[in-house]
Amino acid sequence: MNSIPTYCAQIPEAGLRAALRQDRPEIIGKISASGLKGRGGAGFPTAVKWNFAAAAQAERKFIICNADEGEPGTFKDRVILMEHPDLVFEGMTIAGKAVGAREGILFLRGEYTYLRSALEETLAKRRRCNLLGKTILGSPLEFDIRIFIGAGAYICGEETALIECLEGFRGEPRNRPPFPVNTGYLGYPSVVNNVETLAWAACILANGPQWFKSVGTEKSTGRKIFSISGDCRRPGVYEFPLGITVAQLLQEVDGADARAVQIGGASGQCVPARDFARTIAFEDIPTGGSVIVFGPQRDMLDMLHNFLEFFTDESCGQCAPCRLGNAKLLEGVEMLQAGSCSMAYLKELCGLGETMQVASKCGLGQSSPSAFLSVVEHFREEIMGRTLNRRG
Amino acid sequence: MLMTERERCAAEIRALADKLGHNRTSLVPILLEVKRKYHHINSYAMQVIGDLLGIHPVEVHSVVSFYAFLGERHQGRFVIRLCRTISCDMQGKDRVMRQLENDLGIRFGQTTADGSFTLEWANCMGMCDQGPALLVNDRIFTRVTPEKVHEILEECRRVFGVHAAESKEVHLV
């Protein structure tokens, strides 16, 4: 089966060995043919990213693995890093070869500091086995990886904010363009990829693009690792082909009585039960892997309140739509909870949400109103005219 | 702060910079180490770091004030961060919060008078399928119940030893 565990049960480092036999365009061609898209949520084609960085002329280039997994309800990268760290480092090394980078950085979120010692051991072991260093497996390829620990900021999952943090600044996203593939860490071309993306890249190099794209949909090829939590009997990390329907997924995790599912974390969208036939794929409901299940007893306003508190806290404060908008939406949810929000004001709040989607500088502010807007759209009946504040 | 304490603090930060690098790219790693060691980052430490890295202390402050794991405030030896995000919320983080506050006699955002424990909120820490989750410094605890809170606190007191002095510790006030 074309999954990460089956790949790991095969010959170790098959992906890296295959990459060493190929030149750069061949490697990028394989990734391109597989249709692999960024697994962090944005879904940008990985091959395009690699290609830009490969084409850039520079003395130094960087491969940065984004392990700043902060999206509410996401924990798959933690599990990948705990169970298959070699695969991620293998993927980074392949990316290094494809792009012409000699330096890799694993940006590990501060909350995952406890993973560090095991990861450092894995890196040391790889250096001993000649899988990192100056002449990897006897080839002229030079590549090494170091670990950088984050300091607790959700926004650093955004690639330019992550680079700001690496450079010793506040994690405030930059204007794009220029993109990191041209002007990234210290001004050098840098590829920032999600943990899972790099893991898949290694699998694809070993088994070929066909192996990967034999499942999934036309626009969303391959399998995806999901982090499933909330009101279901079997929460945890799952691997499903993209294009799976919400209903199928709920059946697998034994959460079929759900009234709604939040897909894509706090910045994703809320899917009500009547839409459970929709598919999880970049062309329908995109996700970085977070699926939070809400059972029949849940109040959607409680959920929104939690998400907007999160965004109000984690907004970097750099641009006004996000800094002020999230606070206004939170206030609006509190009014709805207290039953003191008029329909006219609710419409204004929706207008504000739409403004945030277009006017915010980075993905945080652009996506933070999604949950609010989808709850207002799908659960209007139950959020209006509250007679008591259920939160007490 | 005593002159001798200042000197010792500056020497330790200098040693850190020698180890981690004298560039701005080392700023966050140095600050994390200072915070871990002293449990706060005061203005004197920020000046020393700014001087070593060749940047204005205000730049150092801008970074210290941005990140949740940094910050100037004095924290206890054990910083307990309880996850408040949706999945842990649905799995009963409020009851764990109440028990932590009851057992320590402080509220969230506060530090116990003896400087041992600080209670803080954390946003999603990637333990959503095993909530409620909390971090004690770098250690993770999952499926925490109000009952387990007492055990966790006792383990901190016993294993790490609030009274067993860390020989190198210095309090900068």
Side-chain angles (χ1 to χ4, degrees):
Chain A
M1 203 172 64
N2 41 2
S3 71
I4 284 183
T6 48
Y7 170 71
C8 289
Q10 295 174 0
I11 321 153
E13 312 298 329
L16 178 58
R17 284 172 206 278
L20 290 175
R21 289 192 298 268
Q22 298 170 30
D23 60 11
R24 286 198 211 166
E26 274 181 273
I27 299 173
I28 297 176
K30 290 256 163 68
I31 300 293
S32 177
S34 74
L36 177 65
K37 288 182 176 177
R39 278 346 195 202
F44 190 78
T46 306
V48 176
K49 221 180 223 187
W50 288 16
N51 212 6
F52 278 131
Q57 298 288 324
E59 260 174 63
R60 294 168 81 186
K61 294 182 187 178
F62 293 90
I63 304 297
I64 300 167
C65 174
N66 184 347
D68 192 62
E69 178 179 54
E71 189 62 52
T74 316
F75 45 94
K76 57 163 182 91
D77 292 345
R78 167 178 59 79
V79 174
I80 295 172
L81 285 170
M82 283 171 90
E83 294 185 6
H84 304 293
D86 273 305
L87 187 62
V88 179
F89 296 141
E90 185 185 349
M92 287 178 77
T93 314
I94 293 167
K97 159 110 193 192
V99 162
R102 288 186 303 273
E103 293 164 82
I105 303 170
L106 173 73
F107 187 100
L108 187 68
R109 66 188 300 222
E111 289 84 347
Y112 288 175
T113 303
Y114 57 87
L115 298 179
R116 183 179 192 161
S117 57
L119 291 170
E120 295 277 15
E121 267 173 44
T122 307
L123 286 176
K125 186 197 75 194
R126 291 184 75 83
R127 285 186 198 107
R128 280 198 306 275
C129 299
N130 207 13
L131 294 164
L132 286 175
K134 287 205 188 302
T135 51
I136 292 173
L137 293 174
S139 76
L141 179 66
E142 179 186 347
F143 193 75
D144 210 334
I145 300 170
R146 63 188 167 89
I147 297 175
F148 184 99
I149 304 282
Y154 167 73
I155 189 61
C156 288
E158 200 278 345
E159 58 179 10
T160 59
L162 184 152
I163 290 169
E164 288 284 308
C165 181
L166 284 175
E167 291 182 358
F169 291 86
R170 295 161 71 88
E172 292 173 347
R174 298 173 178 174
N175 281 321
R176 301 188 306 171
F179 291 94
V181 285
N182 291 312
T183 310
Y185 180 55
L186 301 176
Y188 295 108
S190 310
V191 169
V192 184
N193 277 150
N194 177 261
V195 171
E196 189 192 336
T197 312
L198 290 160
W200 282 119
C203 300
I204 291 166
L205 259 291
N207 297 343
Q210 214 46 47
W211 170 85
F212 182 73
K213 66 195 265 191
S214 62
V215 292
T217 69
E218 199 185 324
K219 284 182 180 160
S220 310
T221 53
R223 288 170 176 269
K224 168 93 192 75
I225 316 283
F226 288 88
S227 320
I228 301 173
S229 65
D231 300 318
C232 57
R233 268 168 288 278
R234 290 194 297 272
V237 171
Y238 288 79
E239 198 187 72
F240 294 127
L242 284 166
I244 188 174
T245 66
V246 180
Q248 284 171 323
L249 183 144
L250 283 172
Q251 199 153 22
E252 291 287 334
V253 302
D254 202 355
D257 60 346
R259 63 179 311 220
V261 174
Q262 179 76 16
I263 296 176
S267 58
Q269 49 179 310
C270 186
V271 181
R274 64 174 174 278
D275 289 346
F276 282 177
R278 288 179 67 185
T279 58
I280 301 176
F282 294 111
E283 63 271 25
D284 190 2
I285 311 172
T287 178
S290 165
V291 176
I292 306 166
V293 184
F294 298 105
Q297 76 279 23
R298 299 295 172 188
D299 181 347
M300 299 327 270
L301 284 183
D302 285 350
M303 172 204 87
L304 271 189
H305 193 272
N306 188 287
F307 285 169
L308 286 163
E309 267 189 333
F310 171 82
F311 285 124
T312 312
D313 195 43
E314 293 290 355
S315 169
C316 81
Q318 191 184 186
C319 73
C322 174
R323 180 182 68 239
L324 305 172
N326 282 310
K328 272 293 173 199
L329 291 183
L330 175 61
E331 198 186 282
V333 170
E334 282 167 359
M335 286 170 74
L336 285 165
Q337 287 179 323
S340 64
C341 184
S342 71
M343 191 55 101
Y345 190 62
L346 183 66
K347 280 191 180 141
E348 253 182 71
L349 287 174
C350 291
L352 172 68
E354 284 158 17
T355 306
M356 290 165 68
Q357 287 179 328
V358 293
S360 295
K361 184 168 172 178
C362 80
L364 194 158
Q366 288 161 11
S367 60
S368 64
S370 311
F372 181 88
L373 294 173
S374 52
V375 166
V376 172
E377 187 189 334
H378 301 301
F379 297 93
R380 189 176 295 242
E381 288 251 304
E382 67 167 76
I383 62 173
M384 297 305 293
R386 289 276 170 101
T387 49
L388 76 169
N389 183 350
R390 292 201 205 171
R391 270 182 98 83
Chain B
M1 190 160 71
L2 287 172
M3 283 295 286
T4 47
E5 281 181 20
R6 282 195 173 201
E7 277 164 21
R8 192 160 42 185
C9 165
E12 286 187 355
I13 292 174
R14 217 173 295 125
L16 267 178
D18 287 342
K19 192 176 118 202
L20 298 168
H22 284 261
N23 312 316
R24 179 143 191 177
T25 52
S26 312
L27 179 57
V28 173
I30 291 174
L31 290 171
L32 281 171
E33 279 298 307
V34 170
K35 182 79 178 187
R36 196 180 60 79
K37 197 156 189 181
Y38 297 109
H39 314 295
H40 74 162
I41 305 172
N42 67 7
S43 56
Y44 180 71
M46 287 190 254
Q47 286 173 43
V48 173
I49 294 168
D51 188 38
L52 285 167
L53 304 189
I55 54 180
H56 197 282
V58 149
E59 290 280 327
V60 181
H61 182 259
S62 78
V63 171
V64 169
S65 59
F66 186 85
Y67 293 99
F69 282 20
L70 301 175
E72 289 171 87
R73 266 185 324 127
H74 212 297
Q75 290 184 319
R77 211 167 299 181
F78 301 105
V79 180
I80 300 178
R81 294 187 166 90
L82 176 63
C83 178
R84 63 176 161 192
T85 308
I86 190 78
S87 296
C88 286
D89 184 49
M90 297 200 299
Q91 292 170 98
K93 68 111 176 47
D94 280 343
R95 292 186 59 207
V96 176
M97 166 199 79
R98 187 59 54 84
Q99 200 57 43
L100 280 166
E101 289 186 336
N102 290 344
D103 284 6
L104 291 174
I106 54 170
R107 313 294 296 223
F108 268 67
Q110 296 179 336
T111 300
T112 52
D114 65 353
S116 320
F117 292 98
T118 297
L119 290 179
E120 296 249 319
W121 287 117
N123 291 325
C124 188
M125 41 202 204
M127 278 294 168
C128 321
D129 57 336
Q130 302 165 49
L134 59 81
L135 276 172
V136 179
N137 296 345
D138 292 340
R139 264 186 87 190
I140 188 98
F141 292 85
T142 58
R143 296 196 176 94
V144 181
T145 57
E147 240 185 312
K148 251 169 99 176
V149 163
H150 178 71
E151 280 171 43
I152 293 170
L153 296 178
E154 280 305 302
E155 200 185 324
C156 289
R157 293 190 175 110
R158 194 175 54 242
V159 178
F160 303 97
V162 167
H163 302 291
E166 293 167 37
S167 57
K168 274 189 178 171
E169 193 171 55
V170 187
H171 281 287
L172 307 170
V173 183

